[in-house]
């Protein structure tokens, strides 16, 4: 049905908007958001008796490199989702195989978005650097909300479509 195709395109574009706003915020408010990354790397707000503090990274250029890498991932996620969403809109009236083919960049962008928030924030930040222990710099709940939303859209988009009646 056409509404399903429009729904899929709209949801991909919504994720594109979200990733764009996150990347834009990180670029235009670099200092505020950089503080988050720096404190996660330094592990200076986790439980005082945590035995994983040997993992801390106190080298400023690594803090900046990590933050710039995250911004790059968010930006590429946004670009892929914008292009992918508009390709879905353009292909909305095409036969099912062509519409399925048009999903490629949307799927790539959604996958990258999932990996950005799940790997960078949940796995690396949350588990490796113990971000979950910080009362001040704990991004785990937000990251979870982001990547679960993206995952829901990804699952919906990859579902096969039938030809329009």
């Amino acid at each position: 049905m056409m509404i399903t195709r429009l729904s899929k395109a709209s949801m991909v574009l919504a994720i594109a908007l979200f990733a764009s706003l996150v990347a834009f915020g990180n670029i235009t408010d670099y200092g505020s958001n950089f503080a988050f990354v720096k404190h996660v790397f330094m592990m200076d707000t986790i439980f005082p008796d945590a035995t994983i503090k040997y993992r801390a990274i106190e080298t400023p250029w690594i803090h900046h490199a990590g933050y710039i890498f995250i911004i790059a991932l968010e930006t590429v996620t946004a670009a892929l989702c914008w292009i992918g969403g508009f390709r879905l809109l353009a292909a909305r009236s095409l036969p099912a195989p062509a519409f399925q083919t048009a999903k490629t960049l949307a799927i790539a962008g959604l996958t990258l978005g999932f990996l950005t928030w799940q790997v960078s924030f949940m796995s690396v930040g949350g588990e490796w650097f113990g971000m979950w222990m910080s009362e001040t710099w704990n991004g785990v709940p937000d990251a979870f909300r982001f990547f679960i939303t993206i995952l829901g859209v990804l699952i919906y988009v990859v579902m096969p479509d039938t030809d329009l009646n």
Side-chain angles (χ1 to χ4, degrees):
M1 293 191 333
M2 179 64 75
I3 191 68
T4 303
R5 292 180 179 195
L6 290 171
S7 171
K8 289 180 180 187
S10 298
M11 288 186 178
V12 172
L13 292 170
I15 298 298
L17 176 62
F18 168 75
S20 296
L21 293 174
V22 172
F24 180 77
N26 285 338
I27 293 166
T28 60
D29 192 14
Y30 187 94
S32 296
N33 295 304
F34 172 72
F36 174 87
V37 174
K38 180 179 87 169
H39 286 289
V40 170
F41 275 131
M42 292 178 57
M43 302 174 73
D44 56 354
T45 63
I46 67 170
F47 300 158
D49 58 346
T51 60
I52 64 170
K53 287 189 177 188
Y54 70 91
R55 300 175 186 170
I57 298 173
E58 297 186 9
T59 310
W61 74 264
I62 295 177
H63 302 161
H64 286 284
Y67 186 44
I68 291 167
F69 183 66
I70 289 168
I71 293 170
L73 291 173
E74 294 163 350
T75 302
V76 174
T77 295
L80 289 170
C81 287
W82 281 119
I83 296 166
F86 284 120
R87 283 192 178 175
L88 290 178
L89 281 177
R92 69 187 180 277
S93 299
L94 298 177
F99 186 75
Q100 190 67 27
T101 301
K103 294 178 180 182
T104 304
L105 289 179
I107 292 169
L110 294 167
T111 301
L112 182 59
F114 170 84
L115 292 172
T116 297
W117 278 279
Q118 200 287 324
V119 174
S120 297
F121 291 92
M122 290 292 290
S123 298
V124 176
E127 290 305 315
W128 183 256
F129 290 108
M131 179 173 62
W132 65 270
M133 291 184 238
S134 175
E135 290 183 24
T136 310
W137 303 106
N138 181 4
V140 170
D142 293 327
F144 180 78
R145 185 176 69 244
F146 298 162
F147 83 73
I148 287 298
T149 301
I150 293 169
L151 180 62
V153 174
L154 177 61
I155 290 168
Y156 180 51
V157 168
V158 299
M159 292 174 55
D161 293 275
T162 59
D163 281 321
L164 300 172
N165 295 331

